[in-house]
C-alpha cells in the first residue's frame, strides 16, 4: 500500500509513467520486450531520503545502469565468484575425463559411478555438480554418449 501511495505521488510529480533516464513509456518498454513495471528510484542512491524531489521512475535496464555503472549492458549476466569457480571445475573435469577416455587401459569406456564419485573427489566439487557436467557432455551437442552394458559407461561419440 505504501509503494502504491508513493507511486501515485511520483506519478503526479513526474507527470507520467515513463523512465526518467531513457524517456520510454510503459507501452514502449513492453513493445521492446521488457517489463512495463517502473522502479521508484532514489536519485541520490540514499534509500533513507524519501523526499518526493529525490524520487523518480526508472525502467529496469536504466535502474541497473544507474546503480551498477560497471555493467555496460544490464541484460548481460555478471559472473559471480561461484559461477567462475564452476567454470573452472567444469574445465578440470572435462580435461580429466578426456584423459581417462584416451587412456589405453580404459578401452575408451569410463564407468558412470566412477566418474561421479572419483570426479567429485578429484575436482573438489559435489557429486550433483559432476552429474550436471556429465549431462552436458552427453547431450546431443556433447562429445560423449552413454553405453549400457552390465553397468553404465561413457564413451566418445562416433564421428560421422
Amino acid at each position: 500500500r505504501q509503494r502504491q501511495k508513493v507511486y501515485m505521488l511520483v506519478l503526479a510529480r513526474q507527470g507520467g509513467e515513463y523512465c526518467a533516464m531513457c524517456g520510454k513509456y510503459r507501452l514502449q518498454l513492453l513493445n521492446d520486450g521488457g517489463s512495463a513495471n517502473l522502479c521508484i528510484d532514489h536519485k541520490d542512491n540514499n534509500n533513507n531520503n524519501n523526499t518526493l524531489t529525490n524520487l523518480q521512475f526508472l525502467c529496469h535496464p536504466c535502474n541497473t545502469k544507474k546503480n551498477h555503472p560497471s555493467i555496460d549492458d544490464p541484460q548481460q549476466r555478471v559472473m559471480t565468484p561461484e559461477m567462475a569457480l564452476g567454470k573452472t571445475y567444469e574445465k578440470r573435469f572435462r580435461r580429466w575425463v578426456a584423459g581417462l577416455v584416451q587412456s589405453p587401459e580404459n578401452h575408451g569406456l569410463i564407468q558412470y559411478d566412477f566418474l561421479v564419485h572419483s570426479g567429485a573427489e578429484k575436482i573438489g566439487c559435489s557429486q550433483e555438480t559432476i552429474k550436471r557436467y556429465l549431462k552436458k557432455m552427453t547431450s546431443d551437442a556433447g562429445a560423449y554418449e552413454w553405453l549400457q552394458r552390465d553397468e553404465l559407461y561413457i564413451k566418445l561419440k562416433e564421428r560421422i
Side-chain angles (χ1 to χ4, degrees):
R1 282 187 228 159
Q2 185 171 351
R3 184 187 189 283
Q4 187 61 32
K5 182 180 174 185
V6 171
Y7 192 95
M8 297 310 288
L9 292 172
V10 174
L11 175 63
R13 183 177 185 290
Q14 189 165 306
E17 289 181 295
Y18 62 90
C19 175
M21 277 181 70
C22 68
K24 290 184 182 177
Y25 285 86
R26 293 180 69 180
L27 186 58
Q28 290 172 299
L29 294 168
L30 268 178
N31 289 339
D32 290 348
S35 170
N37 293 329
L38 294 168
C39 303
I40 299 174
D41 176 66
H42 293 81
K43 293 177 185 178
D44 66 0
N45 289 338
N46 178 357
N47 291 343
N48 294 322
N49 181 2
N50 292 314
T51 59
L52 196 52
T53 57
N54 188 46
L55 302 176
Q56 65 182 349
F57 289 136
L58 292 182
C59 64
H60 286 281
C62 287
N63 188 46
T64 302
K65 281 181 194 174
K66 176 184 173 279
N67 294 308
H68 304 282
S70 62
I71 302 173
D72 293 329
D73 179 6
Q75 306 307 321
Q76 173 188 331
R77 223 173 144 180
V78 176
M79 187 173 292
T80 65
E82 293 81 11
M83 291 167 68
L85 192 57
K87 226 175 182 180
T88 302
Y89 285 163
E90 187 171 1
K91 280 183 187 177
R92 284 186 203 157
F93 181 70
R94 286 177 179 266
R95 207 172 311 124
W96 181 67
V97 169
L100 289 172
V101 167
Q102 293 171 11
S103 176
E105 64 262 14
N106 291 323
H107 307 290
L109 300 173
I110 311 296
Q111 185 191 29
Y112 173 77
D113 285 338
F114 170 79
L115 287 172
V116 171
H117 302 297
S118 296
E121 183 67 26
K122 175 91 175 154
I123 304 305
C125 60
S126 72
Q127 293 176 4
E128 291 305 311
T129 299
I130 295 295
K131 289 176 185 177
R132 283 197 312 275
Y133 297 158
L134 287 169
K135 282 182 183 177
K136 286 171 65 175
M137 294 167 67
T138 57
S139 69
D140 289 341
Y144 298 90
E145 63 186 353
W146 297 112
L147 176 67
Q148 180 71 51
R149 289 194 174 165
D150 53 330
E151 296 181 61
L152 188 59
Y153 293 87
I154 191 177
K155 69 176 199 116
L156 266 175
K157 286 182 181 174
E158 301 293 326
R159 302 288 179 195
I160 298 175

